[in-house]
Amino acid sequence: MDWDKLRVFHAVAEAGSFTHAGENLNLSQSAVSRQISALEESVKVPLFHRHARGLILTEQGELLYRTAHDVFAKLSMAEARIRESKERPSGPLKVTTTVAFGSTWLTPRINEFLERYPEIELSLVLNDEELDLAMREADVAIRMQPPRQADLVQRQLMTLRYHVFASPEYIKQYGIPKTPEDLKDHRLIIYGADARPPVSNVNWMMATAQQFKPDMRPILKLNNIYGIFRATESGLGISALPDYLLPATSNLVRILPELEGPSFDAYFVYPEELRHSKRIAVFRDFLIEEINKGKVKAAAAAAAAANKASSD
């Protein structure tokens, strides 16, 4: 089977149309169409159903696509391993993580990483759905739950915990709860039924308030943790958020420090085949360095707060 035709077929199957595949391959629509027709003629079966809205794979086309996709994924993995033979880390590195973690914790730190390793071509894919690392949809994932896929290496990065936060605007307008019981008199933002949080009892703050007011209702339900963070920043209400969502630029205030929520682990995950990748190793080491910096800052802040309290 002609390799160029197979490459064009794979691109068309991924794109769903001759036009989009041609744009990705830098070929004209007619050239792509001719390649597909020639491939169908050589295998003597139709590979696509043509209709006005695009292309749909036939049963035989699905079979060929799955095989071709596996071949291209293995080739991509082999290319990555060959690149790793160089002494200095270089080449593409695609990292995926959740929208919230990527937007608030990871992205602000990327500039320093790229200044250290300018030869690495970094791509970030922020998606709350898990990408398939085995099929090279990404090289590395930072996940808030242990991976479900087999043949993946996982390293625990850090343990995160939920705390209670409010904005200065909210506190100015509605006051600050002094005890957990006071939550029953406040506007609480919670996670909706469609949310996919890393812990099962994610609405523990609401459960605390309902101990004192069973019929209490939230001011807002949201299925996305980053949405809850932004709603809290706007002054809408009080919410329970994990530590990483508080970047240096956030004005949110931690309240009820004695009230701690559930904890969960963040994992650094990558395919077994990339175990010896220099790019992945330096990225992992960078993350651990940044995490340790955060621990030092948190310890210093806690010590300063304790000293202030004792002097008062």
Side-chain angles (χ1 to χ4, degrees), residues 222-275:
L222 267 166
N223 70 339
N224 180 277
I225 192 170
Y226 186 63
I228 291 178
F229 168 69
R230 295 309 302 266
T232 308
E233 277 195 325
S234 75
L236 177 63
I238 296 172
S239 68
L241 297 168
D243 305 302
Y244 71 79
L245 271 171
L246 275 297
T249 54
S250 175
N251 66 343
L252 292 186
V253 178
R254 182 179 170 187
I255 59 177
L256 298 174
E258 74 279 11
L259 192 60
E260 289 199 334
S263 64
F264 61 96
D265 291 330
Y267 296 90
F268 187 83
V269 184
Y270 53 93
E272 174 68 32
E273 293 86 349
L274 294 179
R275 179 183 289 275

Side-chain angles (χ1 to χ4, degrees), residues 93-98 101-102 106 123-133 137-143 267 269 283:
L93 178 64
K94 182 182 283 189
V95 178
T96 181
T97 190
T98 62
F101 186 83
L106 182 58
S123 299
L124 294 183
V125 181
L126 306 186
N127 194 327
D128 290 331
E129 299 295 326
E130 291 190 2
L131 300 189
D132 191 339
L133 300 187
E137 291 182 349
D139 301 309
V140 174
I142 302 172
R143 292 181 176 163
Y267 296 90
V269 184
F283 186 65

Side-chain angles (χ1 to χ4, degrees), residues 106-116 286:
L106 182 58
T107 304
R109 291 168 167 81
I110 290 302
N111 183 48
E112 184 176 344
F113 175 75
L114 292 178
E115 285 184 350
R116 275 191 219 176
F286 173 78

Side-chain angles (χ1 to χ4, degrees), residues 10 28 83 97 169 174 207 278 290 305 308:
H10 184 262
S28 67
R83 278 193 298 268
T97 190
E169 291 78 14
Y174 297 100
K278 290 185 176 69
E290 289 297 305
K308 185 177 184 300

